[in-house]
Amino acid sequence: MQIFGNEISKKDYNKACKSQKKWIKKFGDDREPGYHLSLVDNEVITGPLGVKNIVINENATDDSGFKTQLPEKPIIIGNIRMGFGHYRISMAMASAAHSLGYTPLWLDLNSFPQTTCTKIISAQNDLYSLGSRLSQKHPLFNKLVWEPMNYEGFKKLSYNVGDQKNAELMTSVFKDIPKDTPLIGTHVWPSQAAVHAGMTKVVNAIPDNWPMALHLSEGALHTVQTYNTYYGYRSLHGFRGKEVLKPIPKNDIVYTGHYIDDELVRNIEDDCAKRIDRATNGKPVRFLLTIGGAGAQGEFFAKIIKALLPYVNQKKACIYVNCGDYSSVWELLKKSIPELNNDGLCHTHFNDWKSECEFSEKALSYTDDFSSNGIHVFCNKDIFGAVYITNLLMRATDILITKPSELAFYPVPKLFIRRVGGHEMWGAIHSAEIGDGTQECETPEYACSMIEMIMNDPSIIENMCNCIIRNKKDGIYDGAYNAVKLAAAR
């Protein structure tokens, strides 16, 4: 076996085959006869993004004709739910596709409980979520296990062999899909599975800013968000220690820029003008805190909220907290911060998507003081609402407080807290270098000192906004548009 012309040892290949057999023994093999599909609306993102969900149709037959359900200009967004990151990148691709006249078809390989594919992904997702949480609670585990695995383990070329063999078991849901339908994979497994299923127009949208063999999908066109990743992947530098490997052919990888939603890119100048106005004219500074899908870093965020409380009480700051779909995180925050039990100070927006959308619209348009004062907490059982509310609030936010993962690439001023995995470090580095975010604040004390600096120096927000406007002119945030165009043109 070879990966981009580089020989894989028999030992590594046999290990990958053994892994595949283990999954088959545990979850079965449903590649034959496969599954029939249908399209349905999505309650949250069909309206704004034109998305249709791909679902399994258990009543269909070979003659039912999934092809006849396809819109005139379809583009499949292949993803998995693993945390929030890959869903968020998928929404960016869907938004860009919609703006360019395509109908995005949402294919989540982790959404079909009856399939071998979903069972494998769910099992691995559970392990990754557990590791993320443990890494935040136990520094020794983080230092000896989690950081090395995310930083060096996933980088090894041999790691990709196992993923490729496992992805062969994820092809059953591609049976009904015409092979020439454009597909963008926002996680490597949908991309690999599509290639194994014979799809011919596959784009593998690589996240992060740290090259790893984990993300390779030979047979697809690889897109990257930064030049650091372009040269790292192109040369496969460090993918087998110090050995110099054969490079990825230039026609197999493209720098596109950051994967960002159309509505965010299109409104950069207006949104930044409002941020500068709030920062320089004494209006409450709005902080958006995003707690990821794994629910990690709750204690870190609790300390940040405590540091912001005096400014909130003085009406100098306002806090938006997105707990995602983890109401348990909110309960933990209330136990850590008694002030959050004050209904006059803290307002919850839970599981009411219409109300959440109305709030975000008012926050963006300055139509009331409610959205500029106090603390507003969001939680939604629906995963799409849990992810997309951050997108809606982002435009009305002055500072996004987040770990340096996929949100590191978004055009909003950012304060980065401690990473979850070594690969995320490079997201903060890239953001700081292009001027739209801080360096990574590894400790709550460092993060709180940055908050104090921002509150006492409005020019920090103004400078970041000016960098964002300049970056837009340079095309840095055009990655989603470019990925869609590349997929359609293959």
Side-chain angles (χ1 to χ4, degrees):
M1 180 182 177
Q2 295 182 339
I3 298 177
F4 291 111
N6 297 287
E7 290 289 340
I8 301 301
S9 69
K10 288 185 178 179
K11 178 182 177 182
D12 288 332
Y13 180 74
N14 290 337
K15 181 180 178 181
C17 292
K18 187 178 294 185
S19 172
Q20 185 191 71
K21 290 177 181 177
K22 179 193 73 173
W23 290 122
I24 291 174
K25 183 177 181 181
K26 188 171 184 178
F27 296 129
D29 185 348
D30 58 359
R31 285 174 285 183
E32 295 294 339
Y35 299 90
H36 294 295
L37 307 173
S38 289
L39 297 176
V40 298
D41 285 348
N42 183 293
E43 183 178 353
V44 172
I45 57 176
T46 290
L49 307 182
V51 168
K52 297 283 186 179
N53 278 2
I54 296 178
V55 298
I56 288 178
N57 185 347
E58 297 180 349
N59 298 319
T61 66
D62 286 333
D63 299 323
S64 63
F66 179 68
K67 293 181 183 180
T68 63
Q69 301 177 44
L70 291 178
E72 183 178 351
K73 294 177 65 177
I75 187 163
I76 296 172
I77 311 298
N79 57 64
I80 64 170
R81 183 196 169 170
M82 182 173 277
F84 284 0
H86 301 287
Y87 258 33
R88 193 177 309 286
I89 296 171
S90 292
M91 289 176 181
M93 296 298 183
S95 175
H98 184 55
S99 74
L100 293 171
Y102 295 89
T103 300
L105 308 181
W106 194 273
L107 179 61
D108 177 2
L109 295 187
N110 199 18
S111 66
F112 310 117
Q114 65 268 57
T115 67
T116 298
C117 172
T118 291
K119 292 172 184 176
I120 292 173
I121 293 173
S122 295
Q124 299 203 71
N125 187 27
D126 289 343
L127 287 174
Y128 191 85
S129 295
L130 176 61
S132 293
R133 293 191 295 271
L134 289 175
S135 72
Q136 300 305 298
K137 294 180 180 179
H138 305 288
L140 194 61
F141 173 82
N142 185 59
K143 180 179 179 180
L144 298 180
V145 179
W146 197 246
E147 284 264 344
M149 182 178 72
N150 278 273
Y151 198 63
E152 295 295 343
F154 292 158
K155 190 177 183 70
K156 296 178 181 178
L157 196 64
S158 57
Y159 188 90
N160 186 254
V161 188
D163 265 7
Q164 290 281 6
K165 293 302 293 182
N166 292 339
E168 291 177 2
L169 303 177
M170 301 179 185
T171 59
S172 59
V173 296
F174 289 88
K175 174 184 176 180
D176 272 7
I177 301 174
K179 303 304 181 187
D180 61 349
T181 308
L183 182 146
I184 301 174
T186 61
H187 185 282
V188 71
W189 293 337
S191 175
Q192 291 171 345
V195 171
H196 287 306
M199 302 289 288
T200 59
K201 295 183 176 182
V202 181
V203 165
N204 176 35
I206 295 175
D208 301 325
N209 189 32
W210 174 245
M212 297 186 287
L214 163 72
H215 294 304
L216 295 177
S217 178
E218 189 169 8
L221 175 65
H222 297 66
T223 63
V224 293
Q225 300 184 86
T226 71
Y227 282 108
N228 177 61
T229 43
Y230 177 83
Y231 291 112
Y233 278 106
R234 183 77 198 282
S235 64
L236 297 179
H237 176 68
F239 281 40
R240 191 183 278 159
K242 296 182 179 180
E243 181 181 347
V244 178
L245 299 174
K246 294 180 180 179
I248 294 179
K250 67 177 182 179
N251 292 333
D252 289 343
I253 185 168
V254 178
Y255 163 79
T256 59
H258 300 184
Y259 312 135
I260 307 297
D261 312 64
D262 167 67
E263 57 270 27
L264 292 173
V265 178
R266 181 165 29 90
N267 291 291
I268 279 176
E269 290 86 356
D270 288 344
D271 294 344
C272 282
K274 291 176 181 177
R275 292 177 184 124
I276 293 172
D277 172 60
R278 286 191 290 269
T280 58
N281 289 306
K283 298 176 182 178
V285 178
R286 300 167 173 183
F287 291 84
L288 171 59
L289 283 60
T290 63
I291 302 177
Q297 298 183 308
E299 295 178 4
F300 202 119
F301 278 112
K303 293 179 180 179
I304 289 174
I305 293 172
K306 288 178 183 177
L308 279 170
L309 274 175
Y311 296 108
V312 174
N313 289 328
Q314 297 169 40
K315 298 188 183 300
K316 292 181 179 180
C318 175
I319 305 176
Y320 305 150
V321 182
N322 182 15
C323 296
D325 54 354
Y326 282 80
S327 59
S328 58
V329 171
W330 172 235
E331 296 302 321
L332 289 173
L333 287 174
K334 286 198 296 182
K335 288 182 180 179
S336 301
I337 310 171
E339 291 89 341
L340 297 184
N341 293 284
N342 180 349
D343 292 338
L345 175 71
C346 193
H347 314 279
T348 56
H349 308 265
F350 284 14
N351 300 310
D352 186 344
W353 184 243
K354 182 180 178 182
S355 174
E356 293 173 59
C357 291
E358 290 174 351
F359 177 91
S360 63
E361 289 173 4
K362 290 178 180 178
L364 187 61
S365 61
Y366 285 111
T367 55
D368 68 353
D369 292 332
F370 179 61
S371 58
S372 294
N373 289 285
I375 301 172
H376 298 271
V377 185
F378 299 82
C379 186
N380 205 311
K381 292 179 181 178
D382 180 276
I383 177 60
F384 292 93
V387 175
Y388 198 58
I389 189 60
T390 291
N391 291 41
L392 297 181
L393 293 171
M394 206 183 303
R395 289 190 55 203
T397 294
D398 300 314
I399 293 288
L400 171 65
I401 301 181
T402 180
K403 67 188 182 75
S405 54
E406 82 289 343
L407 283 169
F409 300 91
Y410 276 68
V412 56
K414 295 172 289 287
L415 189 161
F416 292 115
I417 64 171
R418 184 176 60 215
R419 62 186 180 264
V420 180
H423 61 295
E424 292 184 348
M425 168 177 63
W426 291 86
I429 292 172
H430 173 70
S431 177
E433 287 180 338
I434 65 172
D436 65 4
T438 69
Q439 294 179 319
E440 179 185 352
C441 300
E442 300 94 340
T443 66
E445 292 75 21
Y446 184 14
C448 292
S449 74
M450 284 299 304
I451 288 171
E452 185 174 351
M453 189 185 303
I454 290 168
M455 293 302 302
N456 293 322
D457 183 0
S459 69
I460 293 176
I461 293 176
E462 185 175 9
N463 290 339
M464 287 188 183
C465 286
N466 289 333
C467 287
I468 290 168
I469 293 170
R470 185 188 66 235
N471 293 339
K472 179 185 177 180
K473 292 177 181 177
D474 292 340
I476 286 177
Y477 303 122
D478 288 346
Y481 302 120
N482 293 331
V484 170
K485 293 173 184 177
L486 288 166
R490 277 178 68 77

